[in-house]
Every structure is written in C-alpha cells, then in structure tokens.
C-alpha cells in the first residue's frame, strides 16, 4: 500500500512579488529550494496565511540569496506582496517507508526570507 506524505515544506515566507503577466508558476530563491529539497518544475501547494487561499503551481528557481517569492500568472491574483505563505510538496511512498521518512522542513527568516 502507498500513502501520500509531505516531502518538503517552506514554512512562513513572505511574498516579494506578484507578476500577473508572467506565464505562470512561483519563483523561489534557489537557496530556499535546495534547503527544502524542491526541484525546478516540481508541483507545490501554496497556502496563504493572510487570506486562506490554497492553490497549486510549479516551481521556477529564483536568484540565490535574493529571498524572492514571486507568484506568477493567474496565481498572482491570489496573493499580495507581504502575505505569508507555506509552500508544500508531497510524494507517494510505501506505507512502511513513510513511517520512517522525515520531510525537509525549512523555517526561513520571515523578515527577508533568507536562511539564517
């Protein structure tokens, strides 16, 4: 039997940009991506603590050490700059493996989204 479990999570990052005219996705500082074990193109769930919105999109790497968290395309309508988000990815695995699995959890500095 397989179960879907949290693979990676970036907890409480601040939106730095919202670009309605971009093709789509979320741009994430590549340092944050590495710390959370996220990869380019991976599907992520976005939970907006400010307005309760939940949506899914895919990841585009942003400049390292920039703290960038930009929602692009239609997703830009679901956030405001300064909103606090939780970014989550999931994976399927055998239930016995899942019992031993430890997800990658990242808690960046809320003031600038950098790892401190």
């Amino acid at each position: 039997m397989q179960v879907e479990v949290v693979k990676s999570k970036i907890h409480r990052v601040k939106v730095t940009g919202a670009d309605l005219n971009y093709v789509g996705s979320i741009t994430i500082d590549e340092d944050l991506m590495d710390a959370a074990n996220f990869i380019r193109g991976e599907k992520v769930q976005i939970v907006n603590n400010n307005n309760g919105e939940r949506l899914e999109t895919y990841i585009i790497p942003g400049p390292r050490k920039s703290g960038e968290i930009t929602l692009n395309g239609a997703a830009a309508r679901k956030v405001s700059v300064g909103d606090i988000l939780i970014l989550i990815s999931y994976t399927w695995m055998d239930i016995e493996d899942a019992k031993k699995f430890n997800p990658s959890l990242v808690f960046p500095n809320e003031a600038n989204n950098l790892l401190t």
Side-chain angles (χ1 to χ4, degrees), residues 61-110:
R64 291 186 182 277
K65 302 195 182 349
S66 66
E68 181 175 0
I69 301 291
T70 299
L71 278 290
N72 303 303
R77 293 202 184 274
K78 304 288 187 178
V79 300
S80 295
V81 172
D83 282 359
I84 300 297
L85 307 180
I86 300 170
L87 311 176
I88 310 162
S89 70
Y90 301 88
T91 191
W92 286 93
M93 61 177 57
D94 180 81
I95 194 165
E96 293 306 316
D97 291 334
K99 289 177 181 178
K100 297 176 265 181
F101 179 73
N102 291 313
S104 299
L105 306 175
V106 177
F107 301 88
N109 180 328
E110 270 188 61

